Amino acid sequence: MKVVNALGRRKSAVARVYVVPGEGKITINGRDVNEYFKEDSLRYIVNQPFEVTGTAAQFDVKANLDGGGVKGQAEALRLGIARALCEIDKDAYRTALKSAGFLTRDAREVERKKPGQPGARRRFQFSKR
């Protein structure tokens, strides 16, 4: 089987994911997943597509992550892995990934700051006198 690549995005994070058959090694920007994501919850997010499809130690993942924060990067990586697994075997994995919600791109973005106020929606305190 050849290398399957996919793209995952979340907020301003972008994950370019390359999946090949292997023993379950995940490399992110040249570093191991345990070194890149220190928190267990973030590593759990990254491994969710493999757990749902039952392919825990069958594929090696090499990913390039850019932009955003650590949580956004983890969720972008999850989407990229899910899309790559779906491309590998659509019949076997698509229904499980779709029902878990891993094939949907989370479209929520940060609203821009407006002029004349301190944030996107926040206003400066009103003073009557």
Side-chain angles (χ1 to χ4, degrees):
M1 187 185 115
K2 61 178 173 47
V3 177
V4 175
N5 64 324
L7 188 73
R9 288 194 178 101
R10 171 74 171 100
K11 294 187 178 179
S12 60
V14 179
R16 290 186 301 280
V17 180
Y18 305 92
V19 178
V20 292
E23 62 272 351
K25 202 169 93 174
I26 300 175
T27 309
I28 304 164
N29 293 348
R31 292 158 55 189
D32 186 54
V33 68
N34 297 323
E35 185 186 335
Y36 194 85
F37 292 121
K38 302 286 187 197
E39 291 183 35
D40 292 332
S41 60
L42 298 175
R43 288 194 295 269
Y44 174 75
I45 287 170
V46 170
N47 286 313
Q48 277 180 319
F50 295 121
E51 291 171 13
V52 167
T53 56
T55 56
Q58 296 179 16
F59 297 104
D60 284 346
V61 176
K62 183 177 174 286
N64 294 323
L65 289 178
D66 187 43
V70 287
K71 180 114 168 49
Q73 286 184 348
E75 292 181 3
L77 183 56
R78 177 176 69 185
L79 176 62
I81 291 170
R83 283 179 173 173
L85 287 174
C86 194
E87 202 172 308
I88 288 169
D89 192 356
K90 193 169 267 193
D91 298 331
Y93 304 139
R94 183 167 173 81
T95 54
L97 291 169
K98 185 86 171 158
S99 63
F102 298 150
L103 293 177
T104 306
R105 198 262 199 224
D106 194 345
R108 294 177 295 172
E109 294 282 337
V110 176
E111 190 175 338
R112 78 175 192 88
K113 181 193 169 301
K114 313 313 187 292
Q117 54 194 60
R121 304 273 176 108
R122 176 93 174 107
R123 304 285 200 265
F124 288 114
Q125 185 173 0
F126 176 74
S127 175
K128 197 165 202 170
R129 287 175 192 87

